[in-house]
Amino acid sequence: MNGSVTVIGLGPGDPRYLTPAAAQALDGAEDLIGYFPYVARVPERPGLVRHASDNRVEVDRARHALELAAAGRRVAVVSGGDPGVFAMAAALFEALEAGDPAWRSLTITVEPGITAMLAAAARVGAPLGGDFCAISLSDNLKPWEVITARLNAVLAADLVVALYNPISRARPWQLGAALALAAEHRAPDTPVILARAVGRPDEAIRVLPLAEAREAQADMATLVMIGASATRLIPREGRAPFVYTPRSVAR
């Protein structure tokens, strides 16, 4: 098979955050596959066939990409942020594992991007300076009981926690439930970062104490980061504070 699939991270939204390697892979593609908003972020050009689809058909998209590549096409599958973080790279390998064994001879590569938690962290300082983890609050692919068990474990371990997919119209209560769990482990003044649409024109970033964050508004474009007990604020007059987590932990 002469075709190929490259799974590409487009970064958080600002074209400046697209890596040169990702841009080169896009330039070489004949077919572009992805969720509507991500496909729209790639400029049209002659010779590029665009295949945009809805949000909850990731594995179908992946199969389509593999079928096109098996027919000899050079296919780019795009994700926002990093394709390996709650995104299309895992969906592609899921389809590969369950699909036509011949697909395994295809050239398949992953080009990383800047994921939301890294973009958000850079905006406010260094909240990920110590140990941290990332959890998706979406229960579309795993039970809520699994999510809460993992949240309780990492909160008890005193890690900074980045929450992806915090809330949606179909899931309006889960962020509040997650922050209520955090309040059982963290002090009320623990910094919480709500970073919406980082790298896009409508970017909005707030740093709130945990006690106030439970009432804050968020949506699927928001990355929520809950500080550890060691996470600190550095106040600045007339400006938002810096937030950072020390690298060291007291013995």
Side-chain angles (χ1 to χ4, degrees):
M1 293 186 179
N2 295 322
S4 64
V5 180
T6 306
V7 192
I8 298 171
L10 298 177
D14 190 324
R16 294 176 302 172
Y17 296 150
L18 182 71
T19 70
Q24 183 176 13
L26 286 172
D27 289 343
E30 297 172 304
D31 292 88
L32 180 70
I33 291 180
Y35 178 37
F36 288 110
Y38 302 145
V39 169
R41 283 168 53 181
V42 179
E44 296 190 26
R45 60 170 169 80
L48 180 65
V49 182
R50 303 157 76 85
H51 309 268
S53 53
D54 202 359
N55 194 27
R56 293 194 181 185
V57 293
E58 290 93 344
V59 176
D60 291 340
R61 270 201 297 270
R63 291 192 193 101
H64 186 198
L66 292 163
E67 289 166 355
L68 287 170
R73 306 284 290 180
R74 295 190 305 275
V75 184
V77 179
V78 290
S79 280
D82 181 277
V85 179
F86 307 121
M88 278 304 301
L92 185 106
F93 290 113
E94 180 181 339
L96 179 69
E97 183 179 28
D100 186 342
W103 291 347
R104 302 187 185 195
S105 65
L106 291 166
T107 299
I108 298 174
T109 55
V110 179
E111 288 295 346
I114 298 173
T115 189
M117 67 179 178
L118 300 182
R123 285 288 193 266
V124 300
L128 303 179
D131 295 331
F132 63 89
C133 76
I135 292 178
S136 170
L137 290 190
S138 173
D139 60 355
N140 291 329
L141 297 175
K142 59 181 181 287
W144 179 248
E145 293 76 18
V146 170
I147 297 171
T148 54
R150 292 175 178 177
L151 271 173
N152 271 315
V154 298
L155 288 164
D158 201 14
L159 303 180
V160 174
V161 186
L163 300 177
Y164 282 72
N165 306 314
I167 196 166
S168 70
R169 292 179 183 175
R171 302 181 291 102
W173 55 271
Q174 288 160 310
L175 177 59
L179 292 172
L181 275 178
E184 297 176 11
H185 297 269
R186 300 281 195 276
D189 60 351
T190 299
V192 175
I193 300 155
L194 295 103
R196 185 184 184 282
V198 179
R200 304 209 304 254
D202 54 342
E203 174 180 307
I205 298 179
R206 293 166 289 166
V207 179
L208 301 173
L210 176 57
E212 295 180 23
R214 293 173 63 179
E215 305 300 323
Q217 298 296 311
D219 60 17
M220 280 291 284
T222 306
L223 185 285
V224 179
M225 199 177 300
I226 305 168
S229 62
T231 302
R232 304 177 188 177
L233 296 180
I234 301 177
R236 299 188 293 166
E237 186 174 352
R239 304 174 70 182
F242 284 125
V243 185
Y244 87 104
T245 303
R247 296 170 297 161
S248 59
V249 176
R251 294 184 182 275

